[in-house]
Amino acid sequence: MPKLSSTSAPATPVPAQEPLPDVGGDSQRSEPRSGWRPHDDAGHRNEVVLAGRVTAEPAVRELPSGTHLVTWRISVIRPAADQRPNQPADPITCVSFHPSIEDATRGWRIGDLVQVSGALRRRFWRSPNGSSSVIEVEARNAQRVTAAGSGHTAREPDHQPK
């Protein structure tokens, strides 16, 4: 997995990496990965790490079950080689059901540099036009790295569900 880099965020050490397990087939591909353990014998993996600027402040919604859902959006700049005309960055919606992340994101403002890790999730619902879906990052960890407008790194502790 390639290491994320940002000119405004401090470098993060990369843990020791190990090759993917051989899961059969003709592929002799071996990719490095860090600290990951397979969820099943097939070696499936759903892991996302993002660093970007907040473009939609966190909003909390109470679901009919009583659970709180916090939703926010970040913009992640693409490397120069991957940028398309009129799309230098990718807007990514993040969600979480964890109260600790709801608390951690409460003070986030547009322009804050944040780091989020979690998994991609596809959510489905029925609309007047038929079935709809969206792919979001379901956050397990979230932290503000730098507050908007401040020139210094204000790294807060990781907020992980207990």
Side-chain angles (χ1 to χ4, degrees):
M1 183 161 82
K3 181 180 170 192
L4 292 178
S5 65
S6 171
T7 56
S8 47
T12 305
V14 177
Q17 297 181 335
E18 60 189 55
L20 285 172
D22 183 12
V23 294
D26 295 333
S27 174
Q28 294 300 316
R29 190 174 83 170
S30 177
E31 296 178 11
R33 61 183 177 186
S34 60
W36 173 79
R37 298 290 176 250
H39 293 262
D40 60 23
D41 291 338
H44 291 220
R45 176 180 177 179
N46 185 348
E47 184 178 52
V48 175
V49 177
L50 302 169
R53 299 274 176 196
V54 175
T55 58
E57 291 181 5
V60 179
R61 188 174 83 192
E62 186 172 349
L63 303 177
S65 65
T67 304
H68 286 188
L69 174 66
V70 61
T71 304
W72 67 96
R73 190 171 48 250
I74 65 174
S75 179
V76 179
I77 296 174
R78 291 181 178 189
D82 296 336
Q83 289 184 3
R84 295 181 190 157
N86 301 320
Q87 192 175 4
D90 293 301
I92 300 171
T93 301
C94 301
V95 301
S96 183
F97 298 95
H98 299 290
S100 63
I101 293 180
E102 179 183 341
D103 293 340
T105 61
R106 195 176 314 274
W108 290 6
R109 300 291 175 252
I110 291 175
D112 288 352
L113 178 64
V114 300
Q115 183 170 317
V116 177
S117 63
L120 286 178
R121 300 284 186 240
R122 188 168 183 191
R123 185 167 49 93
F124 297 88
W125 70 92
R126 293 197 189 280
S127 70
N129 299 328
S131 294
S132 296
S133 71
V134 66
I135 295 176
E136 302 165 321
V137 172
E138 187 174 319
R140 283 191 289 266
N141 304 310
Q143 65 183 357
R144 178 171 37 197
V145 177
T146 307
S150 74
H152 67 282
T153 299
R155 196 169 195 99
E156 297 173 356
D158 278 347
H159 292 279
Q160 301 176 7
K162 306 235 184 271

